[in-house]
């Protein structure tokens, strides 16, 4: 491409092209909080055009900052986390940080190991839905600035979804349709989010006079949902609220294998809204806006890093119920004590009135 300097572009060339000082270019990538938004934008545009990449080694030697942050999640395959990761990385790129990603595979011990090993290479951590106990989380936060997502620990900066309001809205929606026997299919026992969702389901059901049954899924994945479907088929429940969309999808598939129809034979509500629109039927769910959580977490962490002090800040991201096709009025059906497959109906669907 003509007009570009030969060899690797330097900080001086970026400064000259952008009409700013070398120090301003340096601060754009190391301390953007000290500059005006328009200056940051101009330097980034010039740097991108020239193909300039900051020398992170030199930066670390001169500032003591590596320019890296780490994001640790419990299961990268769970559809809740990719939008969060993508949004976190996009904002980190914008403010001059690289993101190291760790997957703990739902294991507290692995989470502990990742935080320990990565600490020497990063300036701070974002810990999403941690499975570690509070003591270990605080121990790691004492070594490196740490922002939590989906875990409420006093004294640490954290991003929380308003899960209680979302679950309450789901139970109220099902009650408005006439459901009086509802199941909550839970997530991992070590999950703070699961505890909050389950407690919200219990309290809302009590307020509305709903009989609520808890069914453990243990792992927030599709297969756990399929397994839970067999248990649900034995119960006198007409609606199910699942820990997340992935578990809900598994429940739908498991019940379909037994000849059940959604929502005629069972209404189902998920949580997260990460794949709900792509299921069949489209899943009624609670939108948790995981991408917003990723962006806010990076903003909060970089703010902590720029001030060199921990903030006891608690940011709540609203949730909302999105009604689609998997919830309807309960149909009268006999309670069975087994999960034998039903013969598929040849007549039209049950009257849902």
């Amino acid at each position: 491409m003509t007009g570009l300097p030969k060899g690797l572009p330097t900080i001086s060339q970026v400064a000259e092209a952008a009409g700013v000082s070398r120090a301003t270019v340096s601060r754009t990538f190391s301390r953007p909080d000290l500059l005006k938004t328009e200056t940051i934008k101009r330097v980034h545009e010039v740097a991108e055009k020239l193909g300039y990449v900051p020398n992170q080694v030199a930066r670390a030697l001169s500032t003591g900052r590596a320019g890296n942050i780490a994001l640790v999640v419990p299961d990268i395959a769970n559809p809740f986390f990719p939008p969060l990761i993508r949004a976190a990385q996009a904002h980190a790129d914008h403010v001059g940080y690289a993101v190291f990603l760790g997957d703990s595979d739902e294991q507290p011990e692995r989470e502990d190991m990742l935080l320990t090993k990565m600490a020497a290479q990063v300036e701070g951590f974002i810990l999403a839905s941690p499975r570690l106990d509070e003591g270990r989380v605080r121990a790691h936060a004492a070594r490196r600035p740490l922002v939590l997502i989906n875990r409420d620990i006093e004294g640490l900066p954290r991003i929380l979804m308003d899960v209680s309001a979302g679950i309450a809205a789901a139970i109220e929606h099902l009650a408005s349709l006439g459901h009086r026997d509802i199941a909550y299919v839970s997530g991992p026992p070590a999950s703070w989010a699961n505890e909050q969702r389950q407690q919200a389901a219990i309290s809302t059901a009590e307020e509305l006079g709903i009989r609520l049954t808890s069914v453990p899924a243990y792992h927030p994945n599709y297969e756990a949902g399929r397994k839970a479907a067999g248990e649900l088929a034995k119960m006198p429940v007409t609606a199910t609220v699942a820990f997340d969309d992935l578990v809900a999808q598994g429940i739908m598939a498991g019940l379909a294998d037994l000849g059940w129809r959604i929502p005629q034979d069972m209404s189902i509500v998920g949580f997260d809204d990460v794949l709900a629109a792509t299921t069949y039927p489209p899943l009624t769910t609670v939108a948790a806006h995981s991408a917003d959580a990723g962006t806010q977490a990076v903003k909060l962490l970089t703010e902590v890093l720029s001030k060199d002090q921990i903030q006891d800040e608690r940011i709540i991201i609203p949730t909302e119920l999105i009604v689609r096709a998997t919830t309807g009025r309960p149909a009268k059906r006999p309670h069975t004590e087994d999960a034998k497959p039903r013969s598929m109906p040849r007549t039209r669907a049950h009257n849902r009135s």
Side-chain angles (χ1 to χ4, degrees):
M1 183 182 296
T2 60
L4 294 181
K6 295 180 180 179
L8 294 176
T10 66
I11 190 171
S12 296
Q13 290 169 328
V14 175
E16 181 180 355
V20 297
S21 67
R22 285 168 48 93
T24 297
V25 176
S26 178
R27 290 192 187 101
T28 298
F29 294 99
S30 62
R31 296 294 302 274
D33 53 293
L34 301 177
L35 303 173
K36 294 180 179 179
T37 303
E38 54 267 27
T39 301
I40 296 170
K41 181 180 179 182
R42 183 165 73 253
V43 172
H44 274 292
E45 288 175 348
V46 170
E48 184 176 353
K49 180 180 179 180
L50 297 180
Y52 172 77
V53 178
N55 186 327
Q56 297 293 352
V57 175
R59 172 184 167 183
L61 289 172
S62 63
T63 67
R65 296 180 178 274
N68 305 318
I69 59 176
L71 171 59
V72 178
V73 301
D75 181 6
I76 197 172
N78 188 312
F80 174 80
F81 292 107
L84 186 155
I85 294 167
R86 191 179 305 114
Q89 182 170 288
H91 190 72
D93 287 346
H94 179 68
V95 294
Y97 281 89
V99 177
F100 292 1
L101 180 63
D103 181 355
S104 69
D105 197 26
E106 294 285 351
Q107 300 175 37
E109 300 81 9
R110 178 170 173 77
E111 194 171 82
D112 200 29
M113 178 270 292
L114 287 170
L115 290 168
T116 301
K117 285 192 171 183
M118 297 169 79
Q121 306 172 67
V122 301
E123 295 178 41
F125 284 98
I126 296 171
L127 192 52
S129 302
R131 306 311 189 212
L132 282 174
D133 62 60
E134 182 177 328
R136 288 305 298 158
V137 173
R138 288 190 181 278
H140 286 291
R143 299 188 184 102
R144 282 282 187 273
L146 187 150
V147 171
L148 297 168
I149 297 177
N150 268 351
R151 183 71 174 273
D152 195 4
I153 297 180
E154 187 176 357
L156 298 181
R158 61 262 195 212
I159 311 292
L160 306 173
M161 282 77 170
D162 192 359
V163 296
S164 296
I167 289 292
I171 299 293
E172 289 166 359
H173 167 64
L174 293 171
S176 73
L177 293 172
H179 294 276
R180 291 296 176 265
D181 288 278
I182 298 174
Y184 172 72
V185 179
S186 63
S191 166
W192 175 86
N194 176 64
E195 180 182 350
Q196 299 300 305
R197 294 174 200 188
Q198 190 159 15
Q199 288 301 315
I202 291 170
S203 61
T204 306
E206 288 179 350
E207 292 174 7
L208 299 175
I210 302 294
R211 291 176 291 274
L212 184 77
T213 305
S214 182
V215 178
Y218 300 112
H219 297 287
N221 58 35
Y222 176 82
E223 288 305 320
R226 287 184 67 94
K227 185 176 180 180
E231 295 299 313
L232 292 168
K234 302 174 186 178
M235 298 176 178
V237 298
T238 59
T240 299
V241 177
F243 171 74
D244 65 9
D245 288 355
L246 203 55
V247 173
Q249 186 185 42
I251 292 170
M252 291 168 64
L255 289 177
D257 287 345
L258 298 173
W260 291 47
R261 297 167 300 166
I262 309 299
Q264 292 92 335
D265 298 320
M266 181 77 77
S267 286
I268 298 178
V269 180
F271 202 103
D272 291 338
D273 195 32
V274 289
L275 49 77
T278 64
T279 65
Y280 183 80
L283 179 66
T284 295
T285 191
V286 176
H289 307 295
S290 63
D292 289 349
T295 300
Q296 290 296 327
V298 174
K299 285 183 178 179
L300 189 50
L301 179 58
T302 53
E303 186 178 332
V304 169
L305 291 172
S306 68
K307 294 181 178 179
D308 288 322
Q309 62 182 29
I310 301 300
Q311 300 174 201
D312 183 9
E313 187 163 354
R314 193 171 183 263
I315 297 175
I316 307 295
I317 295 179
T319 57
E320 59 183 319
L321 179 69
I322 299 178
V323 177
R324 295 192 178 97
T326 59
T327 50
R329 297 184 63 81
K332 294 181 179 179
R333 57 178 175 79
H335 170 50
T336 57
E337 294 299 330
D338 56 41
K340 292 181 181 179
R342 300 178 177 192
S343 58
M344 295 300 292
R346 296 182 179 180
T347 58
R348 58 185 179 181
H350 293 317
N351 185 350
R352 290 167 53 189
S353 62

